[in-house]
Amino acid sequence: MQFFSQKKIYDFMRMRFAAISLSAFLVLGSIYLLFDRGLQYGIDFSGGTLIQLKYDKAAPINDIREILTGVGGFVNLSVTEFGSADEVTIRFSGSNDNLGTDIGESISSLLKQTGNFEIRRADVVGPKVGDELRNKGLMAIAVSLIAILIYIAVRFEWRFAMAAIITEIHDVIITLGAISLFRIDVNLDTLAAVLTVLGYSLNDTIIIFDRIRDGIKSSKSTELPSIINESVSATLSRTVLTSGLTLATVVILYFFGGSMIEGFSLALIVGMVAGTLSSIFVASPALLWFKFSVLDFRNKELEKLKRKQDKEKLRSMYENGRV
Amino acid sequence: MRNFKITYRLIIFTAVFVFGIVFAMPSFMQSQSGAKINLGLDLQGGLYMLLGVDNEEAIKSKIKSIASSLNYSIEKENIIIDRFSVDNDRIDFSLLDENDVEKMDLILKDINGLAVNFSNLHYSISLTPEEIKATQDYAILQAVETIRNRLDEFGLAEPTVAKQGEDKILVELAGIKTREDELRAKERITKAAHLQLMEVDDARMNQVYNMSEADAAQYGDVILSDARNENIKYIVKSIPILDGSTLTDAKVAFSQNNTPVINFTLNSEGAKKFGDYTEKSVGKRLAIVLDNKVYSAPSINERIGGGSGQISGSFTTEEARDVAVALRSGALLAPVKLLEQRSIGPSLGADSIKMSMIALIGASIAIVVFMMMYYGIAGVFANIALFVNVLVIIAVMAMFGATLTLPGMAGLVLTVGMAVDANVIINERIRELLREGASIKTSIEQGYKNAMTAIIDSNVTSLVTSVALYAYGTGPVKGFAVTLGIGILVSMITAIWGTHGMFDYFMRSIEKSNNTRLWFGYRRV
């Protein structure tokens, strides 16, 4: 079986302006969403209380809301269905004073009259901890970006590293935009999803870069756009297959993974689509922006090769001399 | 068997396979002994708590305890002092008699870590900065140890109690089934169990309801309320006669009217101080104070030697037992505060496992079927490598006692998705060479070679990300990073060496059959 003719070279670079416009639109749209609507921080980062109840029938959401509002003292109270009609989550901020007393117990007694339910989860996060978790999360993203930048700069060239980082930032922003758009709670799981997108998209980008580096050394052409076209076309089959398979697993995760990881997988789906497309349409053109020169690179590689050969020559001479 | 060739790659792969089977088995079969993979609290249900240790309190109580032994020594040496006061982190007093300076210095020399400021017969004593640091460090280690001891007596399978950062303690209790158990565990952990024996200031008892805290402090007293009734107040000397540090044992017993009481025993030093004090204080009242609540305040009728005492109060038997456990395991030098608490019901955990298993199996089936259809036998090789990959991830996690969490499960599903990537790259490269008309043997050898830099570069960067995630992540992010990191490392062996080894083994058959469609899912034209 085969999806793409391997001989054909697609002209991706001709599409680059259309693709970049679309990317720019998505990125700007995401930034707009992030500023306008912002992110909905879950209690992991904002501090607060989350209680998940499962009723033996459809959950009386309105009754619950009424009772809790009537009692008062629950700041930013939200009562929402969770996954299925018989499960609800109750959320409120300002856990601070209640942290000592058992909040699950008091909610349980308040809602006694609403029917039979079981407390499936009760999370209380103090505001200080929330801050710390958020800082650590941002730190994790920053550190991985920097580490990657260094690695690519060493293994490839600094322009490749810059292009990769631009691609990463592009993907992370779009993923965050989707998180804002779909009102996915930002908590530790979502952070893990964003970081996965980062790693995954980088994976994609690097494989294409590797091909481009290969192409620069072996292609007849000296024009970067045509080398990029050759390389992206050659990896297209792989890109589509791997992305398709990975996407399939994440989609399965989204539909069957249960409501606990729904947000996580939705963020992954968006991020992976963005990551796959950006490795083709953002990463490679970015090399052009930085005025990457094929000839220079070839010369450098040649020099490197020459030095290596010289070294080997020397070594063999030395070894021969000894024998 | 000269048709088949066994290479080092196949041997390594087989060894990894066997390793995976042996060490992953205990995790699958619950009955078998051996290291099993830990399920995170989100998968099995339980209680997670992050406790903050109040370091300031540790200093205060250290100063207080120094003050009470200082007080004891001063009285024993018959030194006359004036205005003995204890501030939060300072002890102040003056000598009346200049000749006592020498004796006083001897007493002070015996106590380590004091910064003494002496002028005009006035002593101002605090802890040295090193001592403060040491006390704080000790407080958190002691809290970890104490909480661990208290939980051990609770009879839970594997409680985790670990120091986190400078002043936090992480507690994980898996397998807590009911809310009652949860409450009791929490109560036990957070109970300071700070026992103090204090002298009731009988002279001012009648004014207790008219005095403010500040008024009381002027006389070196504090106002404490009764354990059963908040409205009953006692005024007691702020410097305790003894505290729980001299306690050696605490047991539940029953009083004459069959209510549970706690009998405690003091060590020899405590017993002596207690004896000395009661001897000269006949007729006075002694308050038995636990966590700043007065449990009882009996009058002293005679010298109490032997160093045992009793806390009576309207305990239930269970409460009494919990208090006894807390006393026995030692007081928390510094009180702990709940900073974060997560409790997951067992049913939710079971649901989560079920759901993610469905996702994992579904994703695997999709990949396995597709790879086989697209790449033929090469796809089957990739599938075998994938299976071994998952097995080895589980084995390695079990060996290191790593915890599988819900995001970890997602990481596993994702690893499965990404692990085929290497084989897709390799197979695409092989097809490319076949298309160019290279021989099968060359195509395979060169295909692996050409694919290698891409695979290594992409895997190393993923590895870098997962290390950063592990280093800076917390909780679920960490679990995710562990699974992903191990998955990447293992897939380097299985996907690269494993499949190559299998090709090596069948090389002659592949060359003989020359049916590239069967072997690579691609017909050479």
Side-chain angles (χ1 to χ4, degrees), chain A residues 1-3 6-7 44 52 99 102 104-105 118-126 129 132-133 136 139-140 143-144 147-148 151 155-156 188-189 192 195-196 202-203 206-207 210-211 213-214 237-238 241-242 245-246 249-250 252-253 256-258 260-261 264 272, chain B residues 50 168 179 182-183 186 338-345 347-348 351-352 355 358-359 362-363 367 370-371 373-375 406-407 410 413-414 417-418 420-421 424-425 428-429 431-432 435 453-454 457-458 460-462 464-465 468-469 472 474 476-477 480 521-522:
Chain A
M1 206 187 337
Q2 193 178 349
F3 286 156
Q6 297 211 339
K7 277 188 197 132
D44 284 357
Q52 188 180 334
L99 219 50
D102 192 76
E105 204 62 17
E118 157 198 13
I119 297 185
R120 299 192 105 196
R121 189 154 73 113
D123 292 354
V124 185
V125 180
V129 178
E132 210 176 303
L133 290 177
K136 271 190 147 179
M139 196 72 182
V143 168
S144 24
I148 286 159
Y151 180 80
R155 285 285 293 173
F156 291 78
L188 288 169
D189 297 354
L195 288 155
T196 312
L202 195 77
N203 204 43
I206 289 207
I207 283 160
D210 179 78
R211 246 322 158 88
R213 184 175 53 182
D214 241 28
S237 193
R238 173 265 153 199
L241 273 173
T242 302
L245 283 176
T246 317
T249 58
V250 183
I252 289 171
L253 210 57
F256 299 101
M260 297 284 288
I261 39 182
F264 175 86
M272 281 184 174
Chain B
L50 190 64
K168 293 194 187 71
R179 290 203 63 78
E182 192 184 310
L183 284 179
K186 224 164 95 178
L338 259 178
L339 296 178
E340 185 186 349
Q341 182 203 331
R342 292 161 193 272
S343 64
I344 297 105
S347 71
L348 183 64
D351 277 6
S352 295
M355 294 291 209
I358 292 175
I367 289 173
F370 182 83
M371 288 295 280
M373 276 170 47
Y374 199 82
Y375 287 121
L406 196 55
V413 174
L414 202 70
M418 284 171 81
V420 289
D421 188 39
V424 170
I425 296 174
E428 287 298 313
R429 287 283 192 160
R431 280 185 176 189
E432 221 171 287
R435 201 184 61 227
T453 56
D457 277 343
S458 69
V460 169
T461 38
S462 302
V464 167
T465 334
L469 283 196
Y472 291 96
T474 37
V477 177
F480 182 80
Y522 161 80

Side-chain angles (χ1 to χ4, degrees), chain B residues 279-293:
Chain B
E279 188 171 16
K280 64 181 175 61
S281 307
V282 171
K284 288 188 179 164
R285 285 208 290 164
L286 176 74
I288 296 173
V289 179
L290 185 64
D291 293 339
N292 290 325
K293 291 257 159 42

Side-chain angles (χ1 to χ4, degrees), chain A residues 186-200:
Chain A
V186 180
N187 48 35
L188 288 169
D189 297 354
T190 333
L191 183 70
V194 173
L195 288 155
T196 312
V197 167
L198 205 138
Y200 176 82

Side-chain angles (χ1 to χ4, degrees), chain B residues 51 140-164 168-173 185 188-190 325-326 328-330 332 336:
Chain B
L51 307 168
I140 185 157
L141 289 178
Q142 187 263 1
V144 168
E145 197 51 39
T146 305
I147 291 172
R148 198 172 285 149
N149 286 340
R150 289 181 187 178
L151 287 172
D152 278 347
E153 298 204 31
F154 206 75
L156 279 169
E158 284 160 9
T160 309
V161 184
K163 179 174 176 250
Q164 195 155 68
K168 293 194 187 71
I169 300 173
L170 175 84
V171 180
E172 283 191 333
L173 303 175
R188 256 197 194 187
I189 291 167
T190 51
V325 167
R328 208 157 51 218
S329 58
L332 295 176
V336 292

